[in-house]
Amino acid sequence: MEESLWVAILIAAMRTATPLILAALGELIVEKAGCVNLGVEGMMLVGAVTGFAVGLTTGNFALAFVVAAVAGAVLSMVYAALVLIFQVNQYAAGLSLTILGGGVSAFWGQPWQGQNMTGLQPTVIPGLSDLPVIGTVFSRTDIVTWAALAACVAVALVLTRTRAGLILRAVGENHDSAHALGYSVRGVRTLAIAFGGAMAGMGGAYLSCVMTPLWIEGMTAGRGWIAVALVVFATWKPARVVLGAWLFGAVSVMQIHGQAMGLAVSSHILAMLPYLVTILVLVLISRDATRIRLAAPGSLGKPFKPA
Amino acid sequence: MTPAAAAAPLADAAPRLRVTGVRKQYPGCLANDDVSLTVQPGEILALLGENGAGKSTLVKVIYGLVTPDAGTIEIDGTPATLASPAAARAAGIGVVFQHFSLFHSMTVAENIALGLDTPEGRRDLPARIRAIGERYGLAVDPDRVVGELSVGEQQRVEIVRVLLQDPKVLIFDEPTSVLTPQAIAGLFDTLRRLRAEGRAIVFISHKLEEIRALCDRATVLRGGRVVGTVPVAGASVNDLARMMIGQDMPPMGSDHAGRAGPVRLSVHALRLPSDTPHGTALDGLTLEARGGEILGIAGVAGNGQEELLAVLSGERPSPEADDVRIDGQAAGRLPPGARRKLGLGFVPGERLGRGAVPPMNLAENGFLTAHWRLPLTSRGFIRARDRAAFADRVIGAFKVATRSRATAAQALSGGNLQRFIVGREILSEPSALVVAYPTWGVDVAAVAAIHAALVDLRDRGAAVVVLSEDLDELLSLSDRVAVLYAGRLSAPIPRADCTPERLGLLMSGATPLDAVTEAAHAA
């Protein structure tokens, strides 16, 4: 195969990975604070529909991403209230958030269904774009793709190098001890959940504003669930989240090329591949169950009842 | 850190800490009722009381974790409003809790950084940790991960964390309950150095000998009220006990030796990796418990206790059927129920959740283990009358304070539930009984009753294995004591040859187990 095709696959893979990276980094922070929010899929859908609506009506994609982030964060506060105030089981609360997000986005999205718009275009950096290969990659990727990678570095640094990150991990590791030391478990978790919602919302907006600039009901197609799985199988490490997301992106793109080249396999099976391969590889990488248990935040999924 | 000026108790100076009229009402329980106490600079005050006497509530009030209904707290004569732990720390109060508030997957330095209110340069923190360690005899490596430290080392981390705030008042909540005798000596040394600097120390315990060895005065709590405050120098252990429990100390342990018979429970050279992170692998563990004897198993928590208990009870099957034998029968592959059928009784350490199903009533909880040994069912149906009779027999014989057998297990106090669980096992007539931490968090009267019941079972020819962290208990109860260290069990030492020092050396791993084994055989 010629070079240009490989570059095209690389670029497409990076773009496909971006919403996963965004959503999974958000969920990673939530889980590091000790909460499992299974509502990622719902928050992505709400982000997708609000992002699309703002992008289509204003043409301002910065605003679209901000509004999508706010929408995701607002929806996540439903989860925060259920879990932190009413002590609802985290898994049940997350599942209901996914259902709620799916319904709300379908309802709001009716006027936008089937409309087209020109999505966010790649940022052309003069000079850089003229370089061979790298230049092509830069000239054909958008700013959000790079922002997502920067976010990964930022999340990793905050978690390991800052006091805020230390407190966040402490709350997730042992909420009773953190409480006894005088840290606000609920406060930290509320902020973490809001961050997770905002990131999921932006991940959704990337789908509807950049990857496929249109709104279709349920267009996230299970990516929210992949994001949740990524976090666990990446053993809560940001860099591994990116690798997993890239793998998903690469297989997604290749199966599309495979379909185009007329592989003698049912297209449904090919469409399944990215999900299957990502999960399989992640399971194999983290097949040592004790490593997952070691890396898992100690208070993950447990209700916090202050004395 | 600047040591305060005063080096000896000064009766006329304003007390470092004065607590006046603290009252705290919980639903259904008056935890503190008009509690007052004072601590002078350079004084160690013992806060003495049984479980449930209100000691922990008082600590939480002083540390700003619980808001009292009434009462005031003064530091150096100045009234202090302690609305949060941060406010309490700012006022100069530091607390070392009984259950450490440490984060196991983080390093010592990270844990300590979390306990500091003012964010500081992380670069000089390790140096400060080492400096404090040298000054107070609290050596600890700042870069180690806390989960890998021994319990004694973890406690040092807690103390260093508190000392970095340079507190005027230090509260230690039952600090010795998890330590080896040597570690206790080290802790006392640290406490005396702190006292010499003029700090005020509150030392919470129910171990009277420790209080006599360390403290200046003792304030005794009973049922949420202050019974009195006495100088320790003039008080005997019995005086303190009488104040604490309102009666003379009942006899504990066993007053006569057992008569060892055939081996009824044995584990042979078992190797088994742990199935939990931070767990301890069993490393060639051998255990032989004879009928008619109480075998005590000493050891610091985290040396394989959980793993050994799971292997004995059957929660975790062994690789080979021969690894565990009950009355000579190979039981290593059998699940817990089948082992009970063979005659094994088991009292787990965790009462609610393992020992009893919390929301189920006593009759049901009695049935769940007893039906393996006693005919409480017929063709799969529960014989309700026999089940009720069995529960009533346990309640009557072991003086369980409960309204009826229909009371939920979770409604009983720790001591009463333990009476019920031990009674239930004993009345199932086991040939071997394994008991973990039989008297943890149990009041003195219940301790005496449980000890007496275990001795009685032994005298009827059963093998009794008692696993405990309380050396005094093991030394008063056991016929032989073995020490669990790093997943291996030492050869049992007859009670007459046991001293706290000897066991302490084994518990800290200072003496290789093999050397002691040989010595024990030679003796």
Side-chain angles (χ1 to χ4, degrees), chain B residues 156-359:
Chain B
R156 283 186 221 154
V157 177
E158 282 271 313
I159 299 176
V160 169
R161 173 156 80 184
V162 171
L163 287 181
L164 275 170
Q165 312 271 349
D166 195 14
K168 295 178 202 160
V169 179
L170 272 150
I171 303 175
F172 290 83
D173 191 1
E174 306 218 1
T176 58
S177 57
V178 291
L179 299 180
T180 62
Q182 280 82 2
I184 289 175
L187 173 69
F188 282 12
D189 177 48
T190 301
L191 291 178
R192 291 195 183 102
R193 292 193 209 186
L194 291 167
R195 169 168 65 184
E197 288 181 346
R199 296 175 206 274
I201 296 171
V202 179
F203 181 85
I204 300 175
S205 180
H206 58 251
K207 293 185 183 164
L208 304 170
E209 292 295 349
E210 288 177 359
I211 287 168
R212 299 234 322 134
L214 181 72
C215 301
D216 302 305
R217 287 186 304 142
T219 293
V220 185
L221 281 181
R222 189 166 78 223
R225 307 179 120 259
V226 174
V227 184
T229 299
V230 292
V232 169
S236 71
V237 166
N238 229 330
D239 294 338
L240 293 173
R242 218 171 296 131
M243 287 177 77
M244 182 168 81
I245 59 179
Q247 61 184 55
D248 278 340
M249 201 76 161
M252 303 272 180
S254 166
D255 56 354
H256 59 285
R259 294 173 48 178
V263 174
R264 308 206 88 161
L265 176 67
S266 64
V267 177
H268 183 65
L270 180 63
R271 285 175 193 283
L272 197 63
S274 178
D275 57 354
T276 53
H278 306 303
T280 307
L282 297 181
D283 180 22
L285 183 141
T286 295
L287 175 153
E288 271 190 0
R290 295 177 176 276
E293 75 160 358
I294 295 179
L295 175 65
I297 296 182
V300 178
N303 274 294
Q305 280 88 347
E306 295 308 312
E307 290 77 9
L308 173 60
L309 288 171
V311 157
L312 289 176
S313 72
E315 281 172 63
R316 196 148 172 235
S318 307
E320 302 290 334
D322 276 345
D323 288 341
V324 178
R325 285 181 168 272
I326 298 167
D327 252 345
Q329 307 239 35
R333 303 292 305 160
L334 296 180
R339 294 191 193 197
R340 285 185 179 277
K341 246 184 201 163
L342 284 180
L344 179 74
F346 184 69
V347 179
E350 187 191 338
R351 260 157 241 155
L352 284 171
R354 272 219 170 105
V357 185

Side-chain angles (χ1 to χ4, degrees), chain B residues 412-438:
Chain B
L412 263 60
S413 73
N416 269 313
L417 185 59
Q418 188 70 339
R419 281 173 189 251
F420 182 82
I421 293 173
V422 171
R424 166 188 86 181
E425 298 300 328
I426 288 180
L427 289 187
S428 305
E429 292 301 333
S431 55
L433 178 64
V434 177
V435 195
Y437 317 110

